[in-house]
Amino acid sequence: REETMGDKNVSAIRLILGLIVLFELVYCFWWMPIDNMKALIVEEQACVARVFGDDDTNVIYERADNIYRALVIDSGLRKALVEKKIREDAFLARQQVYAQQRGNATLHYFYLMIARLSHLITWLPFFAVLLTLAVLDGLYMREIKKTNFDWVSPVRARYFSRMTNFAFLLLFMDIASPFGFSVYIIPAICLSAVLFISLTTRNIQKRI
């Protein structure tokens, strides 16, 4: 019964987090003013520069520019969304102008997420090493528990696995956030996920 209640709580948390992500996406696609997006892009770039310096910041945003160019400009997506000729009919013209404004805002939001993902890519080599060490540590601790008959908890393994999933969902929420992106959120969430993965591995059942 307790396990069933725990599963319901986990499902409820996932639903809430999923609704928050949905709200972020809908708000940015349909309502967030484009000027706010432009200001947010400039503000985050300045924040990254203060922490990492100009050279690393240039690398991060050059990578973002290249990805954006390939996916949006070279693919023709920008031309299709914001560069169509406005029709002469007054009603249709108003609808088309609005659609192009939201299309332009969507492309800025898309660039905002690409820049954040580019920032994440910068951290990946470091966290790949940490993840490898965490998995090895968990496996070694599990082998030690096999020899000394120490206790492992499948319940802990399940919950730490869920916490890992929540950590990555929170990371995606921050990448999609219209309210600012902290340069410290990526290492904080990834370090937490690495710890949860190690604890999950330690508590895998001994007989599998």
Side-chain angles (χ1 to χ4, degrees):
R1 186 174 179 179
E2 291 181 359
E3 184 175 343
T4 302
M5 289 296 295
D7 291 339
K8 289 182 178 179
N9 291 335
V10 170
S11 298
I13 294 173
R14 286 176 177 168
L15 176 61
I16 292 171
L17 295 180
L19 290 175
I20 292 174
V21 172
L22 180 62
F23 166 77
E24 291 178 339
L25 295 174
V26 171
Y27 172 73
C28 290
F29 285 138
W30 293 102
W31 287 293
M32 187 173 181
I34 188 172
D35 290 339
N36 291 10
M37 289 190 187
K38 291 179 179 178
L40 193 55
I41 292 172
V42 173
E43 178 184 342
E44 290 184 6
Q45 187 169 0
C47 183
V48 173
R50 287 194 298 270
V51 175
F52 290 95
D54 292 335
D55 292 339
D56 289 337
T57 301
N58 290 336
V59 172
I60 291 171
Y61 281 90
E62 283 177 6
R63 183 192 299 121
D65 291 343
N66 291 334
I67 296 173
Y68 181 83
R69 187 179 302 108
L71 295 180
V72 175
I73 298 177
D74 295 344
S75 67
L77 179 61
R78 176 179 174 79
K79 184 176 181 180
L81 287 178
V82 301
E83 296 180 5
K84 284 187 176 181
K85 184 178 179 181
I86 304 298
R87 299 182 182 181
E88 295 181 359
D89 181 88
F91 175 77
L92 293 178
R94 287 195 298 270
Q95 302 304 313
Q96 194 170 0
V97 167
Y98 173 78
Q100 288 188 356
Q101 290 174 344
R102 294 320 306 167
N104 199 16
T106 297
L107 293 180
H108 278 78
Y109 179 51
F110 192 43
Y111 179 82
L112 184 66
M113 288 194 291
I114 289 175
R116 292 168 174 176
L117 288 172
S118 179
H119 183 201
L120 174 62
I121 291 172
T122 303
W123 286 96
L124 288 183
F126 174 68
F127 285 110
V129 174
L130 288 184
L131 178 60
T132 302
L133 294 176
V135 172
L136 291 176
D137 173 74
L139 292 174
Y140 287 146
M141 292 301 298
R142 181 172 174 272
E143 291 300 317
I144 292 173
K145 289 180 179 182
K146 282 183 179 181
T147 60
N148 61 12
F149 301 100
D150 198 0
W151 178 70
V152 298
S153 173
V155 175
R156 287 186 179 182
R158 182 171 64 252
Y159 278 103
F160 282 128
S161 176
R162 289 172 176 172
M163 291 172 72
T164 304
N165 292 333
F166 288 148
F168 286 115
L169 183 54
L170 288 173
L171 180 61
F172 180 75
M173 286 173 55
D174 200 66
I175 289 174
S177 171
F179 307 115
F181 176 83
S182 171
V183 295
Y184 300 107
I185 196 69
I186 290 178
I189 291 179
C190 290
L191 282 173
S192 300
V194 165
L195 176 62
F196 295 150
I197 290 171
S198 177
L199 293 172
T200 300
T201 309
R202 291 185 183 195
N203 287 284
I204 295 175
Q205 293 185 33
K206 296 178 183 179
R207 294 178 181 177
I208 59 174

